mmCIF file of all heavy atoms in Angstrom:
data_model
loop_
_atom_site.group_PDB
_atom_site.id
_atom_site.type_symbol
_atom_site.label_atom_id
_atom_site.label_comp_id
_atom_site.label_asym_id
_atom_site.label_seq_id
_atom_site.Cartn_x
_atom_site.Cartn_y
_atom_site.Cartn_z
ATOM 1 N N GLU A 21 -15.305 -14.743 39.584
ATOM 2 C CA GLU A 21 -15.292 -13.403 40.178
ATOM 3 C C GLU A 21 -15.796 -12.345 39.199
ATOM 4 O O GLU A 21 -16.134 -11.235 39.622
ATOM 5 C CB GLU A 21 -13.881 -13.030 40.632
ATOM 6 C CG GLU A 21 -13.373 -13.853 41.796
ATOM 7 C CD GLU A 21 -11.985 -13.424 42.220
ATOM 8 O OE1 GLU A 21 -11.752 -12.206 42.371
ATOM 9 O OE2 GLU A 21 -11.133 -14.309 42.396
ATOM 10 N N LEU A 22 -15.843 -12.676 37.914
ATOM 11 C CA LEU A 22 -16.293 -11.718 36.899
ATOM 12 C C LEU A 22 -17.754 -11.940 36.557
ATOM 13 O O LEU A 22 -18.234 -13.079 36.549
ATOM 14 C CB LEU A 22 -15.467 -11.880 35.619
ATOM 15 C CG LEU A 22 -14.017 -11.446 35.686
ATOM 16 C CD1 LEU A 22 -13.346 -11.705 34.343
ATOM 17 C CD2 LEU A 22 -13.886 -9.993 36.063
ATOM 18 N N PRO A 23 -18.478 -10.864 36.238
ATOM 19 C CA PRO A 23 -19.861 -11.028 35.776
ATOM 20 C C PRO A 23 -19.896 -11.671 34.387
ATOM 21 O O PRO A 23 -18.880 -11.702 33.683
ATOM 22 C CB PRO A 23 -20.401 -9.600 35.729
ATOM 23 C CG PRO A 23 -19.204 -8.732 35.630
ATOM 24 C CD PRO A 23 -18.075 -9.460 36.290
ATOM 25 N N VAL A 24 -21.055 -12.177 33.998
ATOM 26 C CA VAL A 24 -21.208 -12.819 32.683
ATOM 27 C C VAL A 24 -20.935 -11.818 31.562
ATOM 28 O O VAL A 24 -20.342 -12.162 30.546
ATOM 29 C CB VAL A 24 -22.620 -13.443 32.557
ATOM 30 C CG1 VAL A 24 -22.851 -13.987 31.154
ATOM 31 C CG2 VAL A 24 -22.793 -14.552 33.586
ATOM 32 N N VAL A 25 -21.349 -10.570 31.755
ATOM 33 C CA VAL A 25 -21.048 -9.492 30.806
ATOM 34 C C VAL A 25 -20.142 -8.497 31.522
ATOM 35 O O VAL A 25 -20.504 -7.959 32.563
ATOM 36 C CB VAL A 25 -22.334 -8.801 30.300
ATOM 37 C CG1 VAL A 25 -21.986 -7.636 29.391
ATOM 38 C CG2 VAL A 25 -23.214 -9.804 29.568
ATOM 39 N N CYS A 26 -18.948 -8.292 30.958
ATOM 40 C CA CYS A 26 -17.921 -7.477 31.600
ATOM 41 C C CYS A 26 -17.762 -6.125 30.927
ATOM 42 O O CYS A 26 -17.962 -6.006 29.713
ATOM 43 C CB CYS A 26 -16.570 -8.194 31.511
ATOM 44 S SG CYS A 26 -16.543 -9.823 32.273
ATOM 45 N N ASP A 27 -17.365 -5.133 31.715
ATOM 46 C CA ASP A 27 -16.956 -3.855 31.132
ATOM 47 C C ASP A 27 -15.444 -3.903 30.889
ATOM 48 O O ASP A 27 -14.801 -4.929 31.116
ATOM 49 C CB ASP A 27 -17.381 -2.677 32.018
ATOM 50 C CG ASP A 27 -16.729 -2.688 33.389
ATOM 51 O OD1 ASP A 27 -15.711 -3.391 33.594
ATOM 52 O OD2 ASP A 27 -17.243 -1.977 34.277
ATOM 53 N N CYS A 28 -14.881 -2.784 30.446
ATOM 54 C CA CYS A 28 -13.452 -2.757 30.114
ATOM 55 C C CYS A 28 -12.561 -3.013 31.322
ATOM 56 O O CYS A 28 -11.534 -3.682 31.212
ATOM 57 C CB CYS A 28 -13.084 -1.423 29.472
ATOM 58 S SG CYS A 28 -13.767 -1.234 27.834
ATOM 59 N N ALA A 29 -12.938 -2.475 32.458
ATOM 60 C CA ALA A 29 -12.129 -2.667 33.666
ATOM 61 C C ALA A 29 -12.119 -4.136 34.079
ATOM 62 O O ALA A 29 -11.071 -4.694 34.419
ATOM 63 C CB ALA A 29 -12.654 -1.794 34.797
ATOM 64 N N GLU A 30 -13.281 -4.777 34.027
ATOM 65 C CA GLU A 30 -13.376 -6.186 34.408
ATOM 66 C C GLU A 30 -12.639 -7.075 33.416
ATOM 67 O O GLU A 30 -11.930 -8.005 33.809
ATOM 68 C CB GLU A 30 -14.847 -6.585 34.530
ATOM 69 C CG GLU A 30 -15.526 -5.898 35.690
ATOM 70 C CD GLU A 30 -17.029 -5.791 35.568
ATOM 71 O OE1 GLU A 30 -17.575 -5.897 34.448
ATOM 72 O OE2 GLU A 30 -17.668 -5.565 36.603
ATOM 73 N N ALA A 31 -12.793 -6.776 32.123
ATOM 74 C CA ALA A 31 -12.063 -7.539 31.103
ATOM 75 C C ALA A 31 -10.560 -7.352 31.297
ATOM 76 O O ALA A 31 -9.781 -8.302 31.169
ATOM 77 C CB ALA A 31 -12.481 -7.091 29.703
ATOM 78 N N GLY A 32 -10.156 -6.141 31.645
ATOM 79 C CA GLY A 32 -8.747 -5.856 31.898
ATOM 80 C C GLY A 32 -8.191 -6.645 33.072
ATOM 81 O O GLY A 32 -7.032 -7.074 33.044
ATOM 82 N N LEU A 33 -9.003 -6.853 34.092
ATOM 83 C CA LEU A 33 -8.563 -7.669 35.229
ATOM 84 C C LEU A 33 -8.236 -9.088 34.783
ATOM 85 O O LEU A 33 -7.222 -9.657 35.177
ATOM 86 C CB LEU A 33 -9.641 -7.715 36.316
ATOM 87 C CG LEU A 33 -9.809 -6.475 37.172
ATOM 88 C CD1 LEU A 33 -11.013 -6.629 38.091
ATOM 89 C CD2 LEU A 33 -8.557 -6.216 37.986
ATOM 90 N N LEU A 34 -9.101 -9.657 33.955
ATOM 91 C CA LEU A 34 -8.873 -11.028 33.484
ATOM 92 C C LEU A 34 -7.651 -11.103 32.578
ATOM 93 O O LEU A 34 -6.821 -11.998 32.712
ATOM 94 C CB LEU A 34 -10.110 -11.542 32.744
ATOM 95 C CG LEU A 34 -9.982 -12.958 32.177
ATOM 96 C CD1 LEU A 34 -9.831 -13.975 33.314
ATOM 97 C CD2 LEU A 34 -11.171 -13.306 31.319
ATOM 98 N N LEU A 35 -7.535 -10.145 31.669
ATOM 99 C CA LEU A 35 -6.448 -10.175 30.691
ATOM 100 C C LEU A 35 -5.144 -9.586 31.226
ATOM 101 O O LEU A 35 -4.114 -9.674 30.565
ATOM 102 C CB LEU A 35 -6.872 -9.413 29.425
ATOM 103 C CG LEU A 35 -8.124 -9.937 28.723
ATOM 104 C CD1 LEU A 35 -8.472 -9.039 27.541
ATOM 105 C CD2 LEU A 35 -7.947 -11.375 28.281
ATOM 106 N N ARG A 36 -5.219 -8.949 32.408
ATOM 107 C CA ARG A 36 -4.052 -8.314 33.054
ATOM 108 C C ARG A 36 -3.500 -7.171 32.198
ATOM 109 O O ARG A 36 -2.291 -7.030 32.018
ATOM 110 C CB ARG A 36 -2.948 -9.335 33.356
ATOM 111 C CG ARG A 36 -3.352 -10.510 34.224
ATOM 112 C CD ARG A 36 -3.641 -10.156 35.671
ATOM 113 N NE ARG A 36 -2.553 -9.472 36.346
ATOM 114 C CZ ARG A 36 -1.579 -10.073 37.016
ATOM 115 N NH1 ARG A 36 -1.545 -11.376 37.107
ATOM 116 N NH2 ARG A 36 -0.649 -9.358 37.610
ATOM 117 N N VAL A 37 -4.416 -6.370 31.651
ATOM 118 C CA VAL A 37 -4.047 -5.178 30.893
ATOM 119 C C VAL A 37 -4.924 -4.018 31.361
ATOM 120 O O VAL A 37 -5.941 -4.218 32.026
ATOM 121 C CB VAL A 37 -4.197 -5.377 29.356
ATOM 122 C CG1 VAL A 37 -3.290 -6.483 28.860
ATOM 123 C CG2 VAL A 37 -5.645 -5.644 28.973
ATOM 124 N N TYR A 38 -4.537 -2.805 31.001
ATOM 125 C CA TYR A 38 -5.327 -1.639 31.355
ATOM 126 C C TYR A 38 -6.626 -1.602 30.556
ATOM 127 O O TYR A 38 -6.672 -2.076 29.412
ATOM 128 C CB TYR A 38 -4.549 -0.352 31.090
ATOM 129 C CG TYR A 38 -3.423 -0.128 32.061
ATOM 130 C CD1 TYR A 38 -2.107 -0.143 31.633
ATOM 131 C CD2 TYR A 38 -3.690 0.096 33.408
ATOM 132 C CE1 TYR A 38 -1.071 0.058 32.533
ATOM 133 C CE2 TYR A 38 -2.668 0.298 34.305
ATOM 134 C CZ TYR A 38 -1.363 0.279 33.874
ATOM 135 O OH TYR A 38 -0.347 0.474 34.760
ATOM 136 N N PRO A 39 -7.686 -0.989 31.131
ATOM 137 C CA PRO A 39 -8.954 -0.842 30.397
ATOM 138 C C PRO A 39 -8.774 -0.161 29.037
ATOM 139 O O PRO A 39 -9.436 -0.523 28.066
ATOM 140 C CB PRO A 39 -9.816 0.011 31.337
ATOM 141 C CG PRO A 39 -9.273 -0.279 32.698
ATOM 142 C CD PRO A 39 -7.792 -0.503 32.503
ATOM 143 N N GLU A 40 -7.855 0.809 28.958
ATOM 144 C CA GLU A 40 -7.602 1.486 27.676
ATOM 145 C C GLU A 40 -7.099 0.506 26.617
ATOM 146 O O GLU A 40 -7.425 0.629 25.436
ATOM 147 C CB GLU A 40 -6.568 2.607 27.858
ATOM 148 C CG GLU A 40 -7.007 3.718 28.789
ATOM 149 C CD GLU A 40 -6.665 3.465 30.261
ATOM 150 O OE1 GLU A 40 -6.266 2.345 30.628
ATOM 151 O OE2 GLU A 40 -6.820 4.406 31.053
ATOM 152 N N THR A 41 -6.316 -0.468 27.052
ATOM 153 C CA THR A 41 -5.818 -1.498 26.133
ATOM 154 C C THR A 41 -6.962 -2.382 25.658
ATOM 155 O O THR A 41 -7.018 -2.762 24.482
ATOM 156 C CB THR A 41 -4.731 -2.349 26.824
ATOM 157 O OG1 THR A 41 -3.708 -1.465 27.306
ATOM 158 C CG2 THR A 41 -4.131 -3.367 25.873
ATOM 159 N N VAL A 42 -7.895 -2.685 26.553
ATOM 160 C CA VAL A 42 -9.070 -3.484 26.188
ATOM 161 C C VAL A 42 -9.880 -2.759 25.116
ATOM 162 O O VAL A 42 -10.311 -3.364 24.129
ATOM 163 C CB VAL A 42 -9.945 -3.790 27.428
ATOM 164 C CG1 VAL A 42 -11.234 -4.499 27.028
ATOM 165 C CG2 VAL A 42 -9.175 -4.634 28.434
ATOM 166 N N VAL A 43 -10.058 -1.443 25.287
ATOM 167 C CA VAL A 43 -10.792 -0.642 24.294
ATOM 168 C C VAL A 43 -10.101 -0.725 22.934
ATOM 169 O O VAL A 43 -10.753 -0.954 21.905
ATOM 170 C CB VAL A 43 -10.912 0.832 24.750
ATOM 171 C CG1 VAL A 43 -11.437 1.716 23.625
ATOM 172 C CG2 VAL A 43 -11.812 0.939 25.967
ATOM 173 N N LYS A 44 -8.783 -0.572 22.918
ATOM 174 C CA LYS A 44 -8.043 -0.639 21.660
ATOM 175 C C LYS A 44 -8.185 -2.020 21.018
ATOM 176 O O LYS A 44 -8.376 -2.131 19.800
ATOM 177 C CB LYS A 44 -6.570 -0.311 21.897
ATOM 178 C CG LYS A 44 -5.759 -0.275 20.614
ATOM 179 C CD LYS A 44 -4.354 0.210 20.863
ATOM 180 C CE LYS A 44 -3.498 0.294 19.627
ATOM 181 N NZ LYS A 44 -3.968 -0.295 18.412
ATOM 182 N N MET A 45 -8.114 -3.072 21.820
ATOM 183 C CA MET A 45 -8.261 -4.437 21.298
ATOM 184 C C MET A 45 -9.657 -4.644 20.703
ATOM 185 O O MET A 45 -9.802 -5.306 19.675
ATOM 186 C CB MET A 45 -7.994 -5.461 22.404
ATOM 187 C CG MET A 45 -6.544 -5.487 22.855
ATOM 188 S SD MET A 45 -6.303 -6.479 24.343
ATOM 189 C CE MET A 45 -6.339 -8.130 23.636
ATOM 190 N N ALA A 46 -10.663 -4.062 21.325
ATOM 191 C CA ALA A 46 -12.032 -4.175 20.804
ATOM 192 C C ALA A 46 -12.163 -3.391 19.496
ATOM 193 O O ALA A 46 -12.734 -3.897 18.518
ATOM 194 C CB ALA A 46 -13.027 -3.666 21.837
ATOM 195 N N ARG A 47 -11.629 -2.172 19.476
ATOM 196 C CA ARG A 47 -11.672 -1.361 18.244
ATOM 197 C C ARG A 47 -10.955 -2.046 17.092
ATOM 198 O O ARG A 47 -11.387 -1.962 15.948
ATOM 199 C CB ARG A 47 -11.007 -0.005 18.496
ATOM 200 C CG ARG A 47 -11.908 0.993 19.129
ATOM 201 C CD ARG A 47 -11.330 2.397 18.934
ATOM 202 N NE ARG A 47 -11.854 3.271 19.958
ATOM 203 C CZ ARG A 47 -11.109 3.907 20.858
ATOM 204 N NH1 ARG A 47 -9.808 3.814 20.851
ATOM 205 N NH2 ARG A 47 -11.682 4.674 21.764
ATOM 206 N N ASP A 48 -9.835 -2.711 17.413
ATOM 207 C CA ASP A 48 -9.039 -3.393 16.393
ATOM 208 C C ASP A 48 -9.564 -4.787 16.069
ATOM 209 O O ASP A 48 -8.919 -5.544 15.345
ATOM 210 C CB ASP A 48 -7.576 -3.494 16.852
ATOM 211 C CG ASP A 48 -6.897 -2.133 16.955
ATOM 212 O OD1 ASP A 48 -7.443 -1.143 16.415
ATOM 213 O OD2 ASP A 48 -5.828 -2.059 17.581
ATOM 214 N N LYS A 49 -10.711 -5.130 16.655
ATOM 215 C CA LYS A 49 -11.380 -6.423 16.422
ATOM 216 C C LYS A 49 -10.542 -7.620 16.889
ATOM 217 O O LYS A 49 -10.674 -8.720 16.371
ATOM 218 C CB LYS A 49 -11.757 -6.574 14.947
ATOM 219 C CG LYS A 49 -12.557 -5.409 14.399
ATOM 220 C CD LYS A 49 -13.881 -5.856 13.852
ATOM 221 C CE LYS A 49 -14.660 -4.781 13.160
ATOM 222 N NZ LYS A 49 -15.146 -3.716 13.959
ATOM 223 N N ILE A 50 -9.683 -7.383 17.867
ATOM 224 C CA ILE A 50 -8.918 -8.477 18.476
ATOM 225 C C ILE A 50 -9.799 -9.179 19.497
ATOM 226 O O ILE A 50 -9.771 -10.409 19.613
ATOM 227 C CB ILE A 50 -7.629 -7.924 19.132
ATOM 228 C CG1 ILE A 50 -6.720 -7.344 18.047
ATOM 229 C CG2 ILE A 50 -6.914 -9.002 19.931
ATOM 230 C CD1 ILE A 50 -5.564 -6.527 18.590
ATOM 231 N N LEU A 51 -10.592 -8.398 20.223
ATOM 232 C CA LEU A 51 -11.550 -8.942 21.189
ATOM 233 C C LEU A 51 -12.963 -8.700 20.685
ATOM 234 O O LEU A 51 -13.279 -7.579 20.261
ATOM 235 C CB LEU A 51 -11.419 -8.224 22.531
ATOM 236 C CG LEU A 51 -10.321 -8.609 23.486
ATOM 237 C CD1 LEU A 51 -10.400 -7.731 24.732
ATOM 238 C CD2 LEU A 51 -10.400 -10.067 23.858
ATOM 239 N N PRO A 52 -13.821 -9.718 20.737
ATOM 240 C CA PRO A 52 -15.215 -9.483 20.356
ATOM 241 C C PRO A 52 -15.952 -8.744 21.475
ATOM 242 O O PRO A 52 -15.896 -9.148 22.634
ATOM 243 C CB PRO A 52 -15.780 -10.899 20.162
ATOM 244 C CG PRO A 52 -14.899 -11.785 20.981
ATOM 245 C CD PRO A 52 -13.557 -11.114 21.059
#
Side-chain angles (χ1 to χ4, degrees):
E21 292 181 47
L22 290 179
V24 174
V25 176
C26 301
D27 63 17
C28 290
E30 293 157 340
L33 285 174
L34 179 65
L35 301 177
R36 303 290 304 270
V37 299
Y38 288 114
E40 297 88 349
T41 305
V42 174
V43 170
K44 184 173 181 349
M45 292 170 78
R47 277 198 203 119
D48 294 345
K49 307 238 186 293
I50 295 168
L51 280 179

